[in-house]
Amino acid sequence: MDLELSGRVAIVTGASKGIGLAVTRTLLDEGVRVVAASRKTTPELEERGGIDLLHVPVDLMDPDAPGHIVARAVEEFGGLDILVNNAGGPPPGVALPRFSFLAPTDDDWRVMFEFNLFSVVRAVRAAIPPMLERGGGSIINVSSGSARLPTAMNVDYSAAKAGLNNLTKALSEEFAPQGIRVNTVSPGPVRTAWWTEEGGAADIIAAHAGTDRNSVMDQIAPEMMKLSTGRLVEPQEIAEVIVLLASPRSASTTGADFAVDAGFLKEI
């Protein structure tokens, strides 16, 4: 199916690995010109280098970073049609999970909201004017199933993502009449660096449970989170949904939340 994306311009944050890398690759395959924003590039991102890909090195903890990314997209490619706010999860230098509400300090809460909510607010604020100039666009915010299924684990992260869901609904109400659609995609646990890197979630849970990291990812985490499929989600599975939402094929989809979570959310 032709997604009618060829020639459009997209920004993807957190684009150097994981879900962001999968989204970047998929958009490029569809003929989209992509501004890939991340603190550092990676060999995997550089493999897709070419005239349709621009890497912008930024730290989204910097309040000026989102505006800079949008300005580079307009400067390099002439406008903006798609914004994928993918960057999120543990802020730089932070290890998750935390197992109790009492664990994060005030500073931990501020940093978590800065990375997972405020950076999105700034990116959307910068992106809307150039999108309106082109007659509309699509914004996809990557949230989390934990926004709708809060627990004591990672309570600050879940609260930030719940705020992101609320923001998305509000944006969809205001800007749909002007041609800008805004949706969320809510992954469950995804086999990304958050889990797989040394010192990441798999190692932390393994130490807590007295087991090894591979057992956590292959068995303990799927059982603990009651994943219906029995496995973690793959980044490409998230990317496919994001790119469909970016497409004009989803012209009547706005203000929606898509769970791509291996059956993590059980409620109707």
Side-chain angles (χ1 to χ4, degrees), residues 139-163:
I139 298 172
I140 303 99
N141 296 324
V142 178
S143 185
S144 169
S146 65
R148 291 197 281 149
L149 190 63
T151 68
M153 184 181 290
N154 300 331
V155 62
D156 49 344
Y157 171 76
S158 298
K161 290 300 191 182

Side-chain angles (χ1 to χ4, degrees), residues 9 33-35 51-54 72-79:
V9 179
R33 293 171 289 177
V34 180
V35 176
I51 60 172
D52 289 333
L53 176 63
L54 172 68
R72 289 302 313 277
V74 173
E75 175 187 340
E76 188 76 14
F77 295 131

Side-chain angles (χ1 to χ4, degrees), residues 19-40:
I19 295 170
L21 178 62
V23 171
T24 297
R25 287 170 167 167
T26 306
L27 287 170
L28 289 168
D29 288 344
E30 293 293 331
V32 178
R33 293 171 289 177
V34 180
V35 176
S38 61
R39 285 184 297 152
K40 300 176 182 178

Side-chain angles (χ1 to χ4, degrees), residues 159-184:
K161 290 300 191 182
L164 180 60
N165 287 8
N166 189 289
L167 170 68
T168 299
K169 282 284 190 181
L171 291 168
S172 70
E173 283 293 302
E174 181 172 359
F175 292 101
Q178 300 174 68
I180 298 177
R181 297 180 297 107
V182 193
N183 295 284
T184 52

